[in-house]
Amino acid sequence: YRQGALPTPEAVSTAMGRIESEGARMARLVDDLLLLARTDQGRALEKEPVDLVRLAREATADFAAADPDRTLERDFTGSAIVVGDPIRLRQVIDNLLTNVRIHTPANAPVRVSVHRNGEWAEVTVADSGPGIPLEDQARIFERFWRGDPSRGRSAGGGSGLGLSIVDSLVRAHGGEIAVRSTPGEGSAFTLRLPLATVEAEALAA
């Protein structure tokens, strides 16, 4: 631009748009890396009663607004109270839904469920996409790891940090996450978090 290589307003506008887009992408990448660094260092998260059903309702409502043509099934009633950081737990669900949007065709249905299972609260995000090859499933939560982009509708994919952030945040909350996937039949990510005590549930009511 400074050397006069963009002679028309349209060319300048296109170049500035690309610069702005790349700047925003870099800012998101830096934020993600800082979050991972903080969780690695064991920095304390917010601790308050959080209803995973409420978070799932909000996250799926936003997902449906952003992807209105996709079939979305919700399976949650009542409440599932855990103790944790509501912003970070919402980020976990959002990242799982973003993973669906990036790696599955636009017509692949998605199902989100929240259930109580003994002393655990379980959130599952399942899709009917192309699935994940068995050899890739062991690495799915590694930082910067990206599978074959041809299996999704987004050729560029993401930064390779979304699922590693999910894993890091779930572990920081004393939980765990697992993936079940069959190539050609879809994938299901299930996170488990300890249910709150009766006292914490009363505070959330």
Side-chain angles (χ1 to χ4, degrees):
Y1 169 71
R2 289 177 176 172
Q3 294 173 356
L6 303 175
T8 67
E10 292 78 11
V12 172
S13 178
T14 299
M16 294 302 118
R18 291 180 59 192
I19 291 170
E20 183 177 14
S21 175
E22 286 301 298
R25 187 180 69 85
M26 184 62 68
R28 290 192 300 270
L29 178 60
V30 171
D31 287 343
D32 288 346
L33 289 170
L34 286 173
L35 174 59
L36 287 168
R38 293 187 185 106
T39 55
D40 286 347
Q41 293 170 2
R43 295 193 185 183
L45 297 167
E46 295 293 326
K47 297 291 185 181
E48 63 182 74
V50 180
D51 185 357
L52 291 179
V53 170
R54 178 180 61 81
L55 289 187
R57 289 188 192 280
E58 294 173 353
T60 53
D62 289 349
F63 178 81
D67 202 350
D69 296 328
R70 187 188 295 267
T71 299
L72 171 63
E73 180 182 353
R74 301 172 177 91
D75 179 16
F76 32 77
T77 58
S79 63
I81 310 298
V82 300
V83 175
D85 188 322
I87 293 176
R88 295 311 181 191
L89 291 175
R90 169 64 191 272
Q91 183 177 6
V92 166
I93 300 175
D94 285 341
N95 280 14
L96 291 176
L97 289 170
T98 298
N99 192 63
V100 171
R101 186 179 297 115
I102 291 174
H103 294 295
T104 68
N107 61 350
V110 58
R111 183 175 185 268
V112 181
S113 63
V114 183
H115 295 291
R116 299 165 69 102
N117 183 2
E119 298 180 351
W120 298 88
E122 296 183 344
V123 180
T124 298
V125 177
D127 65 67
S128 302
I132 304 168
L134 183 61
E135 62 271 19
D136 291 348
Q137 293 179 31
R139 304 187 62 190
I140 200 73
F141 298 108
E142 290 182 13
R143 296 176 189 182
F144 296 111
W145 184 85
R146 296 167 66 181
D148 181 4
S150 65
R151 69 184 178 88
R153 63 181 173 127
S154 175
S159 66
L161 290 176
L163 289 178
S164 62
I165 287 174
V166 168
D167 180 60
S168 181
L169 288 175
V170 170
R171 291 180 184 276
H173 282 84
E176 58 190 30
I177 185 164
V179 60
R180 302 188 315 277
S181 184
T182 302
E185 298 182 10
S187 306
F189 290 83
T190 299
L191 66 94
R192 304 173 76 231
L193 295 173
L195 284 166
T197 62
V198 174
E199 293 78 6
E201 288 192 3
L203 288 174

